[in-house]
Amino acid sequence: MIRSITQQKPMEEIESLIDGINRVFIIGCGTCVTLTQTGGTMQVEAMKKSLSEKGKVVTGTTVVPVACDNLTADILREFEAQLKQADGLLIMTCAFGVQTIARQINKITVPALNTLFIGKETGAGEYNEVCTQCGTCVIGETGGICPVTACHKGLVNGPCGGTNNGKCEIDSNKDCAWTMIYNRLKELGRLDIMRIYKKPRNHLGEPSPGKFQIPA
Amino acid sequence: MPSAFKKALNSGKFIVTCEVAPAKGTNLEKMTHHIELIKDKVDAMNVTDHQSSVMRFPSLGGALLVKELGGEPILQMTCRDRNRLALQADLLFASSRGINNVLCLTGDSVMLGDHKEAKGVFDLDSSQLVAAIKKLEKGKDMAGNELDGGVSFCAGAIVTPEAKPLEPQLIKFEKKIEAGAEFIQTQAVYDLDNFKKFMDYARQFPVKILAGIILLTSAPMARFMNKNVAGVFVPQDLIDEMAAAPKGGALNKGIEIAGRMIRKIKEENICDGVHIMAIGKEEKVIDIMAEAGLL
Ligand code: SF4
Ligand code: SF4
């Protein structure tokens, strides 16, 4: 299962973003941000309390089931009066949810979270970024481990000089992708694949912003 | 025409290169002083490229300065800050100004430097940069378009013989050579027995190897490197030797150790030369060379 991984913005940033918005409606989400404990019922309640203490009027709160779903607008209809009273919406969902709501509700929307990455659940409460949707997938040459994402520098020909006992130079808690790829290919008896020189990457897979339409 | 450094590499003599660290700003006095002091004593001077991701005067400008002052520059180029267009353009410019030696590096993460919020580029890696140089030499850019006016370089790269794990590092090393690297500078080596093992393996490749020598300035500095610098390992006996130096004598002890190592590398013909990094103490390169019996 993939999840949108988020982190609450620093309170000072949130306060500066809602400066001048005195009446706020807060929206959380029952899916990814509930799992990561960044925008579930408890966090929404805590935000309500914190903003009330700072003198804001919280006109209402809700936790929608799946904020990025197009049905969110219909669900929010139930809160029409409270939404109307608000000067702005503080959204405690990932940026997909924020954008969905911003498109549907005619109010200024302020994200309370930073969306960090699309993560794969790799253990209880643990998520890792394993693909950044580069558009020209190369993992057929790396034992199914993505060097574009798992290597901090996106290197495709092997490790940099920063590998430190199998960890990345930027963080001793993060595995060096090229140690993982090496171990995997070695285990498979296919280090020959690692020895093949890879040309510079093609960044033209899908020029940003990506767009897709099922052919008619 | 091959560069003076390339000729030196191919002459079979023991090669000595060192490092010039560009200024943080436009005051080039200190750099100029270092270059003038050392340029005639070494085969070439590497100019670092925002070393440790700290923004400085550019390596290209520093290499020009070495050239103008009559030295032989090696332009260090990392893939951290420029995409393939900018890298190729800078190579064309370097060539037009007589800078014909390039050391290709991937580059440290921007997170390790003084502009942590910057975007790291890494459009190419070090082996691809070597390959790009070779392509330019054939009169074509990376996209295959003809160049009006060609280039000729002596391309090099680096290796970390103490990397853990080692084999992935060696696979990359071989790719750099396959891409066309003519010389390889190593990350700092201190354990010469270990380095000899690396050389037993590396000798099979058609490439000149220059052992990296970082001047130890104190016992805490050596411990710091062991803890924080990937791929650098200072053995305990050297740390003890540094710690036992009389008060105020640690730097001289470091010079003695560096000189002793270089002498051994040369006498035992362990590799083709050395690359001396006297970080922050560039003027001491002369003392190290004297200690090594190279002057
Ligand atoms: S190479 Fe990596 S980022 Fe690109 S599509 Fe494949 S897994 Fe995703
Ligand atoms: S240490 Fe490993 S994961 Fe980190 S940038 Fe270098 S090669 Fe990539």
Side-chain angles (χ1 to χ4, degrees):
Chain A
M1 178 79 87
I2 62 172
R3 295 288 179 197
S4 194
I5 305 303
T6 50
Q7 184 180 52
Q8 191 181 311
K9 285 177 178 287
M11 216 45 208
E12 308 84 75
E13 187 185 343
I14 295 175
E15 281 168 38
S16 109
L17 284 168
I18 58 172
D19 189 35
I21 301 173
N22 293 320
R23 303 163 70 81
V24 191
F25 188 91
I26 307 173
I27 302 174
C29 172
T31 310
C32 305
V33 294
T34 288
L35 267 173
T36 54
Q37 303 177 359
T38 47
T41 311
M42 270 166 67
Q43 294 77 38
V44 167
E45 276 311 304
M47 181 63 75
K48 176 183 175 185
K49 188 160 172 270
S50 159
L51 293 185
S52 303
E53 281 165 7
K54 293 196 167 81
K56 299 279 180 193
V57 177
V58 177
T59 66
T61 66
T62 184
V63 174
V64 296
V66 189
C68 59
D69 194 292
N70 287 341
L71 289 175
T72 294
D74 298 331
I75 290 161
L76 286 173
R77 212 156 281 147
E78 188 190 322
F79 300 92
E80 215 170 331
Q82 286 154 297
L83 286 166
K84 231 184 213 132
Q85 284 167 10
D87 308 322
L89 313 179
L90 183 67
I91 321 245
M92 300 182 72
T93 74
C94 77
F96 290 89
V98 179
Q99 295 198 36
T100 306
I101 294 165
R103 261 197 335 216
Q104 294 171 338
I105 312 280
N106 202 18
K107 285 268 176 205
I108 192 83
T109 32
V110 172
L113 311 181
N114 283 322
T115 302
L116 304 181
F117 59 93
I118 303 303
K120 179 182 162 32
E121 193 164 13
T122 42
E126 185 196 81
Y127 299 86
N128 275 292
E129 188 177 31
V130 299
C131 169
T132 35
Q133 302 87 46
C134 74
T136 45
C137 196
V138 302
I139 61 176
E141 300 166 323
T142 53
I145 296 168
C146 172
V148 171
T149 305
C151 167
H152 173 69
K153 298 171 189 168
L155 306 177
V156 292
N157 272 304
C160 71
T163 313
N164 213 343
N165 290 309
K167 300 293 175 183
C168 178
E169 71 179 17
I170 62 151
D171 187 340
S172 56
N173 285 315
K174 293 187 176 177
D175 293 323
C176 168
W178 277 101
T179 301
M180 293 195 289
I181 294 168
Y182 164 76
N183 287 340
R184 170 78 55 85
L185 290 174
K186 191 173 174 176
E187 200 177 292
L188 297 171
R190 290 303 310 272
L191 280 178
D192 59 308
I193 306 179
M194 189 166 160
R195 294 183 185 279
I196 300 168
Y197 168 78
K198 315 286 186 315
K199 286 191 306 203
R201 276 181 55 216
N202 171 11
H203 290 279
L204 197 60
E206 167 66 6
S208 163
K211 198 175 175 75
F212 175 76
Q213 170 73 58
I214 297 174
Chain B
M1 210 184 60
S3 70
F5 177 61
K6 190 166 181 157
K7 277 190 211 145
L9 276 180
N10 293 328
S11 71
K13 69 179 280 246
F14 189 75
I15 299 292
V16 181
T17 62
C18 69
E19 228 161 65
V20 186
K24 182 85 177 180
T26 56
N27 180 355
L28 308 182
E29 262 170 51
K30 206 170 152 201
M31 252 177 105
T32 303
H33 173 69
H34 288 155
I35 295 168
E36 282 179 334
L37 201 66
I38 306 168
K39 68 179 167 70
D40 296 325
K41 311 256 186 320
V42 294
D43 295 292
M45 305 181 88
N46 274 242
V47 187
T48 53
D49 180 11
H50 307 304
Q51 193 164 30
S52 307
S53 305
V54 172
M55 193 288 295
R56 291 173 178 279
F57 191 76
S59 60
L60 200 45
L64 259 181
L65 187 64
V66 172
K67 188 85 195 166
E68 283 162 8
L69 294 170
E72 176 73 355
I74 297 176
L75 174 70
Q76 290 200 2
M77 280 188 126
T78 71
C79 299
R80 176 190 55 233
D81 311 311
R82 288 164 285 188
N83 70 5
R84 64 191 85 173
L85 278 79
L87 287 166
Q88 290 178 97
D90 282 354
L91 285 164
L92 296 182
F93 177 73
S95 176
S96 75
R97 303 299 289 268
I99 297 163
N100 297 315
N101 311 302
V102 184
L103 184 79
C104 303
L105 306 107
T106 296
D108 291 330
S109 161
V110 287
M111 282 178 63
L112 306 185
D114 67 349
H115 286 64
K116 295 189 195 304
E117 295 184 2
K119 179 166 169 52
V121 179
F122 305 108
D123 183 27
L124 304 185
D125 65 32
S126 48
S127 59
Q128 293 163 343
L129 181 56
V130 174
I133 289 174
K134 293 294 141 186
K135 186 126 192 217
L136 292 177
E137 284 184 333
K138 293 204 178 85
K140 294 232 161 102
D141 69 13
M142 288 178 73
N145 302 308
E146 296 281 338
L147 297 176
D148 179 9
V151 303
S152 163
F153 287 108
C154 177
I158 61 167
V159 71
T160 304
E162 297 271 9
K164 287 188 186 70
L166 182 60
E167 198 180 4
Q169 181 72 206
L170 299 183
I171 292 174
K172 182 91 175 265
F173 163 79
E174 291 178 29
K175 284 187 183 182
K176 292 173 185 182
I177 298 166
E178 196 186 295
E182 292 165 70
F183 68 102
I184 297 280
Q185 294 178 186
T186 78
Q187 173 58 287
V189 292
Y190 290 98
D191 183 335
L192 291 185
D193 289 332
N194 237 355
F195 182 58
K196 274 187 204 162
K197 277 184 216 135
F198 166 77
M199 282 309 302
D200 286 342
Y201 147 84
R203 282 278 180 217
Q204 63 182 300
F205 301 102
V207 70
K208 303 286 178 184
I209 310 266
L210 310 180
I213 304 289
I214 293 185
L215 171 65
L216 295 174
T217 53
S218 66
M221 177 254 193
R223 286 190 208 104
F224 177 87
M225 285 202 298
N226 275 354
K227 193 156 171 256
N228 298 299
V229 184
V232 175
F233 169 66
V234 188
Q236 190 58 41
D237 56 331
L238 285 186
I239 298 178
D240 293 343
E241 200 181 336
M242 288 298 292
K247 210 171 154 43
L251 182 58
N252 282 338
K253 181 50 87 180
I255 292 170
E256 184 193 319
I257 292 172
R260 188 172 77 208
M261 283 173 47
I262 296 170
R263 189 187 288 271
K264 189 170 156 93
I265 290 170
K266 183 169 185 232
E267 280 172 9
E268 296 185 18
N269 196 16
I270 299 176
C271 66
D272 305 293
V274 287
H275 172 60
I276 304 170
M277 294 166 273
I279 301 160
K281 301 256 182 295
E282 281 77 8
E283 69 284 355
K284 297 293 176 200
V285 169
I286 300 288
D287 302 292
I288 297 170
M289 289 180 72
E291 189 72 35
L294 291 170
L295 292 182

